Amino acid sequence: MGKRIEVTDLNVYYGDFRAVEDVSITIEPKSVTAFIGPSGCGKSTFLRTLNRMHEVIPGARVEGEVLLDGENLYGPGVDPVRVRRHIGMVFQRPNPFPTMSIKENVLAGINLNNKRMPGSEKDDLAEQALKGANLWEEVKNRLNKPGASLSGGQQQRLCIARAIAMEPEVLLMDEPASALDPISTLAIEDLMNELKQRYTIVIVTHNMQQAARVSDVTAFFNIAGAGAPGRLIEAGPTEKIFSAPDVKATEDYISGRFG
């Protein structure tokens, strides 16, 4: 489990607007990579190109290469749905399907992809995914209750369980704790530390302390001004980025002098 992502000269366009310019970065397996930077600097846009999620917006296109263990995700004939099966995504606000039970939420991706699986196997898979998301003990006696009946922090872990039930190699998380209270945030951070034993994890976060706590590598994105494309300024081991970055703009952002 866990695969290396290599991005080379990636540009992201929405129509004629270039949202992200010339990003090259290697994301190592079984690690947490955090994207930080001011609002509107392309972090979330870039994150979504890693599983072709940005393509749901009309007019979106990319130039450049994204390789998952050597396979170009944008190669001819590559099915975006298959890409998203290997590279799961967790969004900023917990989004369980409101009409589905807790268990149905976990298995939603499996059922959607027509995986013919006996009921007992599905039960096992749901249990494993909920255990993987540290949610099993809290919900095991109410699996048929609506997913929306859970607290916000539990709903977010339910969404993580839904993602890992698909057995992805990579998990993308777009500000996964920004809508949560401090205790739920801590639970998500602890969970990331456990999940990186098995997956490649990439998170976007506005919370600098969170990036410092959970990530192995930090990548700082910035923007020259309104209407300019977002760029990757610097990426490196988190400890180095936070203590001795190479670029002054990184240091200014981390020390709170701008952004």
Side-chain angles (χ1 to χ4, degrees):
M1 293 290 236
K3 289 195 170 182
R4 175 179 282 107
I5 300 172
E6 292 171 278
V7 180
T8 311
D9 299 333
L10 195 80
N11 292 273
V12 187
Y13 294 88
Y14 294 113
D16 294 331
F17 173 63
R18 177 151 58 170
V20 174
E21 181 176 53
D22 289 337
V23 174
S24 296
I25 187 173
T26 298
I27 296 165
E28 294 296 341
K30 295 189 178 177
S31 66
V32 177
T33 299
F35 296 167
I36 63 169
S39 293
C41 68
K43 309 180 297 292
S44 290
T45 295
F46 177 60
L47 185 77
R48 286 159 184 258
T49 64
L50 300 179
N51 74 344
R52 299 183 58 167
M53 204 76 188
H54 68 294
E55 290 177 9
V56 299
I57 297 174
R61 62 188 173 87
V62 304
E63 294 169 354
E65 246 185 6
V66 180
L67 303 181
L68 181 66
D69 266 10
E71 183 193 356
N72 186 4
L73 301 183
Y74 288 91
V78 174
D79 177 5
V81 175
R82 189 173 71 83
V83 169
R84 290 172 203 145
R85 213 173 292 161
H86 289 288
I87 303 179
M89 185 127 195
V90 177
F91 297 93
Q92 183 171 4
R93 297 204 169 271
N95 58 347
F97 299 115
T99 58
M100 291 186 189
S101 70
I102 292 168
K103 182 175 157 188
E104 287 167 342
N105 260 288
V106 177
L107 297 171
I110 298 292
N111 292 331
L112 191 67
N113 284 286
N114 292 328
K115 289 200 175 174
R116 292 203 177 96
M117 190 183 280
S120 60
E121 274 186 44
K122 284 187 177 178
D123 290 348
D124 290 346
L125 180 64
E127 181 176 336
Q128 289 312 311
L130 286 163
K131 282 180 173 170
N134 283 348
L135 191 57
W136 174 251
E137 291 301 325
E138 292 161 61
V139 302
K140 63 184 179 185
N141 297 321
R142 47 176 175 150
L143 294 175
N144 295 320
K145 292 273 195 306
S149 68
L150 298 173
S151 72
Q154 289 173 324
Q155 286 186 26
Q156 192 62 300
R157 281 181 284 146
L158 178 61
C159 294
I160 292 171
R162 186 173 70 196
I164 62 181
M166 295 297 292
E167 300 180 333
E169 278 119 8
V170 179
L171 271 179
L172 309 178
M173 299 187 178
D174 193 355
E175 295 190 54
S178 65
L180 305 180
D181 63 88
I183 290 171
S184 299
T185 298
L186 195 61
I188 297 288
E189 291 180 5
D190 287 345
L191 181 54
M192 281 187 227
N193 271 322
E194 291 176 29
L195 292 174
K196 78 173 184 184
Q197 315 301 324
R198 283 177 290 158
Y199 307 102
T200 306
I201 297 179
V202 189
I203 70 164
V204 167
T205 181
H206 272 293
N207 182 329
M208 222 91 73
Q209 290 77 20
Q210 184 171 76
R213 282 193 299 263
V214 303
S215 70
D216 303 288
V217 171
T218 295
F220 170 58
F221 287 76
N222 201 4
I223 189 165
R231 303 194 66 144
L232 173 62
I233 305 301
E234 181 173 6
T238 295
E239 204 172 297
K240 179 181 188 306
I241 293 291
F242 276 85
S243 61
D246 293 331
V247 181
K248 186 170 188 304
T250 312
E251 188 181 342
D252 287 349
Y253 182 74
I254 282 167
S255 62
R257 283 197 279 274
F258 84 94

mmCIF file of all heavy atoms in Angstrom, residues 103-104 106-130 136 143 165:
data_model
loop_
_atom_site.group_PDB
_atom_site.id
_atom_site.type_symbol
_atom_site.label_atom_id
_atom_site.label_comp_id
_atom_site.label_asym_id
_atom_site.label_seq_id
_atom_site.Cartn_x
_atom_site.Cartn_y
_atom_site.Cartn_z
ATOM 1 N N LYS A 103 -23.460 2.225 8.004
ATOM 2 C CA LYS A 103 -22.861 1.116 7.250
ATOM 3 C C LYS A 103 -22.961 1.343 5.742
ATOM 4 O O LYS A 103 -21.996 1.122 4.999
ATOM 5 C CB LYS A 103 -23.553 -0.188 7.639
ATOM 6 C CG LYS A 103 -22.982 -1.419 6.948
ATOM 7 C CD LYS A 103 -23.666 -2.653 7.498
ATOM 8 C CE LYS A 103 -23.584 -3.806 6.545
ATOM 9 N NZ LYS A 103 -24.409 -4.929 6.984
ATOM 10 N N GLU A 104 -24.124 1.816 5.275
ATOM 11 C CA GLU A 104 -24.286 2.067 3.835
ATOM 12 C C GLU A 104 -23.332 3.155 3.353
ATOM 13 O O GLU A 104 -22.820 3.094 2.231
ATOM 14 C CB GLU A 104 -25.738 2.483 3.532
ATOM 15 C CG GLU A 104 -26.731 1.345 3.612
ATOM 16 C CD GLU A 104 -28.178 1.828 3.628
ATOM 17 O OE1 GLU A 104 -28.439 3.027 3.919
ATOM 18 O OE2 GLU A 104 -29.052 1.001 3.349
ATOM 19 N N VAL A 106 -20.318 3.715 4.527
ATOM 20 C CA VAL A 106 -18.975 3.128 4.391
ATOM 21 C C VAL A 106 -18.857 2.346 3.085
ATOM 22 O O VAL A 106 -17.829 2.386 2.407
ATOM 23 C CB VAL A 106 -18.655 2.201 5.584
ATOM 24 C CG1 VAL A 106 -17.291 1.548 5.405
ATOM 25 C CG2 VAL A 106 -18.677 2.986 6.892
ATOM 26 N N LEU A 107 -19.937 1.666 2.712
ATOM 27 C CA LEU A 107 -19.896 0.772 1.553
ATOM 28 C C LEU A 107 -20.354 1.455 0.260
ATOM 29 O O LEU A 107 -20.457 0.802 -0.781
ATOM 30 C CB LEU A 107 -20.780 -0.456 1.824
ATOM 31 C CG LEU A 107 -20.320 -1.334 2.991
ATOM 32 C CD1 LEU A 107 -21.369 -2.377 3.301
ATOM 33 C CD2 LEU A 107 -18.979 -1.993 2.687
ATOM 34 N N ALA A 108 -20.613 2.771 0.322
ATOM 35 C CA ALA A 108 -21.196 3.470 -0.836
ATOM 36 C C ALA A 108 -20.341 3.305 -2.088
ATOM 37 O O ALA A 108 -20.850 3.020 -3.176
ATOM 38 C CB ALA A 108 -21.383 4.952 -0.518
ATOM 39 N N GLY A 109 -19.034 3.485 -1.942
ATOM 40 C CA GLY A 109 -18.145 3.382 -3.106
ATOM 41 C C GLY A 109 -18.107 1.973 -3.672
ATOM 42 O O GLY A 109 -18.102 1.775 -4.893
ATOM 43 N N ILE A 110 -18.092 0.997 -2.776
ATOM 44 C CA ILE A 110 -18.071 -0.404 -3.197
ATOM 45 C C ILE A 110 -19.344 -0.723 -3.979
ATOM 46 O O ILE A 110 -19.303 -1.306 -5.067
ATOM 47 C CB ILE A 110 -17.980 -1.334 -1.952
ATOM 48 C CG1 ILE A 110 -16.693 -1.073 -1.175
ATOM 49 C CG2 ILE A 110 -18.097 -2.802 -2.350
ATOM 50 C CD1 ILE A 110 -15.422 -1.462 -1.868
ATOM 51 N N ASN A 111 -20.494 -0.311 -3.427
ATOM 52 C CA ASN A 111 -21.771 -0.603 -4.091
ATOM 53 C C ASN A 111 -21.888 0.129 -5.424
ATOM 54 O O ASN A 111 -22.416 -0.402 -6.395
ATOM 55 C CB ASN A 111 -22.940 -0.229 -3.173
ATOM 56 C CG ASN A 111 -23.012 -1.154 -1.966
ATOM 57 O OD1 ASN A 111 -22.612 -2.314 -2.047
ATOM 58 N ND2 ASN A 111 -23.511 -0.658 -0.840
ATOM 59 N N LEU A 112 -21.359 1.351 -5.455
ATOM 60 C CA LEU A 112 -21.422 2.157 -6.675
ATOM 61 C C LEU A 112 -20.617 1.520 -7.800
ATOM 62 O O LEU A 112 -20.980 1.583 -8.968
ATOM 63 C CB LEU A 112 -20.878 3.561 -6.374
ATOM 64 C CG LEU A 112 -21.080 4.636 -7.422
ATOM 65 C CD1 LEU A 112 -22.563 4.954 -7.551
ATOM 66 C CD2 LEU A 112 -20.322 5.895 -7.044
ATOM 67 N N ASN A 113 -19.507 0.901 -7.436
ATOM 68 C CA ASN A 113 -18.623 0.316 -8.443
ATOM 69 C C ASN A 113 -19.002 -1.123 -8.775
ATOM 70 O O ASN A 113 -18.208 -1.865 -9.358
ATOM 71 C CB ASN A 113 -17.166 0.391 -7.976
ATOM 72 C CG ASN A 113 -16.614 1.804 -8.111
ATOM 73 O OD1 ASN A 113 -16.343 2.253 -9.205
ATOM 74 N ND2 ASN A 113 -16.501 2.504 -6.995
ATOM 75 N N ASN A 114 -20.217 -1.507 -8.369
ATOM 76 C CA ASN A 114 -20.746 -2.827 -8.718
ATOM 77 C C ASN A 114 -19.829 -3.967 -8.344
ATOM 78 O O ASN A 114 -19.718 -4.943 -9.080
ATOM 79 C CB ASN A 114 -21.032 -2.915 -10.239
ATOM 80 C CG ASN A 114 -22.172 -2.006 -10.623
ATOM 81 O OD1 ASN A 114 -23.081 -1.803 -9.822
ATOM 82 N ND2 ASN A 114 -22.124 -1.453 -11.821
ATOM 83 N N LYS A 115 -19.133 -3.825 -7.230
ATOM 84 C CA LYS A 115 -18.307 -4.950 -6.807
ATOM 85 C C LYS A 115 -19.245 -6.013 -6.237
ATOM 86 O O LYS A 115 -19.876 -5.800 -5.213
ATOM 87 C CB LYS A 115 -17.288 -4.498 -5.762
ATOM 88 C CG LYS A 115 -16.205 -3.622 -6.351
ATOM 89 C CD LYS A 115 -14.993 -3.613 -5.441
ATOM 90 C CE LYS A 115 -13.853 -2.840 -6.099
ATOM 91 N NZ LYS A 115 -12.710 -2.677 -5.227
ATOM 92 N N ARG A 116 -19.329 -7.128 -6.916
ATOM 93 C CA ARG A 116 -20.210 -8.200 -6.430
ATOM 94 C C ARG A 116 -19.526 -8.870 -5.258
ATOM 95 O O ARG A 116 -18.556 -9.595 -5.408
ATOM 96 C CB ARG A 116 -20.472 -9.216 -7.539
ATOM 97 C CG ARG A 116 -21.319 -8.631 -8.658
ATOM 98 C CD ARG A 116 -22.016 -9.737 -9.429
ATOM 99 N NE ARG A 116 -22.872 -9.163 -10.456
ATOM 100 C CZ ARG A 116 -22.488 -9.013 -11.707
ATOM 101 N NH1 ARG A 116 -21.286 -9.374 -12.086
ATOM 102 N NH2 ARG A 116 -23.321 -8.501 -12.590
ATOM 103 N N MET A 117 -20.044 -8.612 -4.113
ATOM 104 C CA MET A 117 -19.387 -9.089 -2.894
ATOM 105 C C MET A 117 -20.463 -9.655 -1.969
ATOM 106 O O MET A 117 -21.503 -9.016 -1.785
ATOM 107 C CB MET A 117 -18.688 -7.890 -2.239
ATOM 108 C CG MET A 117 -17.767 -8.227 -1.111
ATOM 109 S SD MET A 117 -17.091 -6.702 -0.368
ATOM 110 C CE MET A 117 -15.801 -6.280 -1.506
ATOM 111 N N PRO A 118 -20.245 -10.846 -1.426
ATOM 112 C CA PRO A 118 -21.241 -11.410 -0.510
ATOM 113 C C PRO A 118 -21.458 -10.492 0.693
ATOM 114 O O PRO A 118 -20.550 -9.757 1.106
ATOM 115 C CB PRO A 118 -20.609 -12.741 -0.062
ATOM 116 C CG PRO A 118 -19.498 -13.006 -1.016
ATOM 117 C CD PRO A 118 -19.082 -11.698 -1.600
ATOM 118 N N GLY A 119 -22.676 -10.539 1.250
ATOM 119 C CA GLY A 119 -23.028 -9.678 2.381
ATOM 120 C C GLY A 119 -22.076 -9.804 3.547
ATOM 121 O O GLY A 119 -21.706 -8.800 4.179
ATOM 122 N N SER A 120 -21.617 -11.032 3.839
ATOM 123 C CA SER A 120 -20.729 -11.224 4.994
ATOM 124 C C SER A 120 -19.395 -10.529 4.766
ATOM 125 O O SER A 120 -18.805 -9.958 5.680
ATOM 126 C CB SER A 120 -20.499 -12.713 5.259
ATOM 127 O OG SER A 120 -19.910 -13.310 4.111
ATOM 128 N N GLU A 121 -18.924 -10.546 3.500
ATOM 129 C CA GLU A 121 -17.662 -9.853 3.177
ATOM 130 C C GLU A 121 -17.833 -8.347 3.330
ATOM 131 O O GLU A 121 -16.928 -7.648 3.792
ATOM 132 C CB GLU A 121 -17.209 -10.187 1.749
ATOM 133 C CG GLU A 121 -16.389 -11.462 1.653
ATOM 134 C CD GLU A 121 -15.849 -11.683 0.248
ATOM 135 O OE1 GLU A 121 -15.363 -10.698 -0.358
ATOM 136 O OE2 GLU A 121 -15.922 -12.817 -0.231
ATOM 137 N N LYS A 122 -19.009 -7.869 2.903
ATOM 138 C CA LYS A 122 -19.274 -6.430 3.044
ATOM 139 C C LYS A 122 -19.306 -6.040 4.524
ATOM 140 O O LYS A 122 -18.790 -4.986 4.903
ATOM 141 C CB LYS A 122 -20.603 -6.066 2.371
ATOM 142 C CG LYS A 122 -20.523 -5.997 0.855
ATOM 143 C CD LYS A 122 -21.810 -5.461 0.263
ATOM 144 C CE LYS A 122 -21.674 -5.343 -1.251
ATOM 145 N NZ LYS A 122 -22.909 -4.869 -1.882
ATOM 146 N N ASP A 123 -19.906 -6.894 5.336
ATOM 147 C CA ASP A 123 -19.925 -6.628 6.780
ATOM 148 C C ASP A 123 -18.503 -6.517 7.318
ATOM 149 O O ASP A 123 -18.183 -5.602 8.089
ATOM 150 C CB ASP A 123 -20.662 -7.752 7.533
ATOM 151 C CG ASP A 123 -22.165 -7.728 7.266
ATOM 152 O OD1 ASP A 123 -22.640 -6.726 6.700
ATOM 153 O OD2 ASP A 123 -22.839 -8.704 7.621
ATOM 154 N N ASP A 124 -17.651 -7.447 6.906
ATOM 155 C CA ASP A 124 -16.251 -7.449 7.363
ATOM 156 C C ASP A 124 -15.527 -6.201 6.896
ATOM 157 O O ASP A 124 -14.765 -5.583 7.643
ATOM 158 C CB ASP A 124 -15.502 -8.692 6.840
ATOM 159 C CG ASP A 124 -15.981 -9.968 7.523
ATOM 160 O OD1 ASP A 124 -16.669 -9.864 8.557
ATOM 161 O OD2 ASP A 124 -15.672 -11.062 7.012
ATOM 162 N N LEU A 125 -15.777 -5.843 5.623
ATOM 163 C CA LEU A 125 -15.109 -4.670 5.051
ATOM 164 C C LEU A 125 -15.533 -3.399 5.792
ATOM 165 O O LEU A 125 -14.692 -2.552 6.124
ATOM 166 C CB LEU A 125 -15.448 -4.547 3.561
ATOM 167 C CG LEU A 125 -14.816 -3.356 2.841
ATOM 168 C CD1 LEU A 125 -13.301 -3.478 2.817
ATOM 169 C CD2 LEU A 125 -15.345 -3.237 1.415
ATOM 170 N N ALA A 126 -16.843 -3.290 6.058
ATOM 171 C CA ALA A 126 -17.340 -2.116 6.782
ATOM 172 C C ALA A 126 -16.689 -2.035 8.158
ATOM 173 O O ALA A 126 -16.255 -0.962 8.599
ATOM 174 C CB ALA A 126 -18.863 -2.178 6.910
ATOM 175 N N GLU A 127 -16.573 -3.176 8.826
ATOM 176 C CA GLU A 127 -15.965 -3.192 10.165
ATOM 177 C C GLU A 127 -14.496 -2.784 10.088
ATOM 178 O O GLU A 127 -14.027 -1.960 10.884
ATOM 179 C CB GLU A 127 -16.096 -4.589 10.781
ATOM 180 C CG GLU A 127 -15.497 -4.670 12.178
ATOM 181 C CD GLU A 127 -15.698 -6.028 12.845
ATOM 182 O OE1 GLU A 127 -16.645 -6.759 12.487
ATOM 183 O OE2 GLU A 127 -14.885 -6.353 13.736
ATOM 184 N N GLN A 128 -13.774 -3.334 9.114
ATOM 185 C CA GLN A 128 -12.343 -3.009 8.981
ATOM 186 C C GLN A 128 -12.141 -1.523 8.681
ATOM 187 O O GLN A 128 -11.247 -0.888 9.229
ATOM 188 C CB GLN A 128 -11.693 -3.873 7.882
ATOM 189 C CG GLN A 128 -11.523 -5.334 8.241
ATOM 190 C CD GLN A 128 -10.893 -5.533 9.613
ATOM 191 O OE1 GLN A 128 -9.868 -4.940 9.945
ATOM 192 N NE2 GLN A 128 -11.515 -6.378 10.437
ATOM 193 N N ALA A 129 -12.983 -0.992 7.787
ATOM 194 C CA ALA A 129 -12.838 0.426 7.415
ATOM 195 C C ALA A 129 -13.158 1.327 8.604
ATOM 196 O O ALA A 129 -12.458 2.317 8.857
ATOM 197 C CB ALA A 129 -13.745 0.760 6.230
ATOM 198 N N LEU A 130 -14.194 0.975 9.361
ATOM 199 C CA LEU A 130 -14.545 1.780 10.540
ATOM 200 C C LEU A 130 -13.469 1.663 11.620
ATOM 201 O O LEU A 130 -13.154 2.635 12.303
ATOM 202 C CB LEU A 130 -15.912 1.358 11.086
ATOM 203 C CG LEU A 130 -17.108 1.813 10.232
ATOM 204 C CD1 LEU A 130 -18.355 1.032 10.583
ATOM 205 C CD2 LEU A 130 -17.348 3.314 10.385
ATOM 206 N N TRP A 136 -15.116 2.489 14.906
ATOM 207 C CA TRP A 136 -15.887 1.256 15.129
ATOM 208 C C TRP A 136 -16.507 1.184 16.528
ATOM 209 O O TRP A 136 -17.705 0.921 16.675
ATOM 210 C CB TRP A 136 -15.000 0.046 14.869
ATOM 211 C CG TRP A 136 -15.628 -1.277 15.207
ATOM 212 C CD1 TRP A 136 -15.313 -2.109 16.241
ATOM 213 C CD2 TRP A 136 -16.696 -1.922 14.495
ATOM 214 N NE1 TRP A 136 -16.109 -3.229 16.221
ATOM 215 C CE2 TRP A 136 -16.968 -3.137 15.156
ATOM 216 C CE3 TRP A 136 -17.454 -1.582 13.366
ATOM 217 C CZ2 TRP A 136 -17.954 -4.029 14.733
ATOM 218 C CZ3 TRP A 136 -18.438 -2.463 12.939
ATOM 219 C CH2 TRP A 136 -18.682 -3.663 13.620
ATOM 220 N N LEU A 143 -25.102 0.687 13.506
ATOM 221 C CA LEU A 143 -24.665 0.770 12.109
ATOM 222 C C LEU A 143 -25.802 1.108 11.155
ATOM 223 O O LEU A 143 -25.564 1.605 10.046
ATOM 224 C CB LEU A 143 -24.029 -0.564 11.674
ATOM 225 C CG LEU A 143 -22.710 -0.926 12.378
ATOM 226 C CD1 LEU A 143 -22.254 -2.312 11.956
ATOM 227 C CD2 LEU A 143 -21.625 0.098 12.059
ATOM 228 N N ALA A 165 -12.403 2.235 2.599
ATOM 229 C CA ALA A 165 -13.083 0.994 2.217
ATOM 230 C C ALA A 165 -12.772 0.632 0.762
ATOM 231 O O ALA A 165 -12.796 -0.544 0.383
ATOM 232 C CB ALA A 165 -14.597 1.140 2.403
#
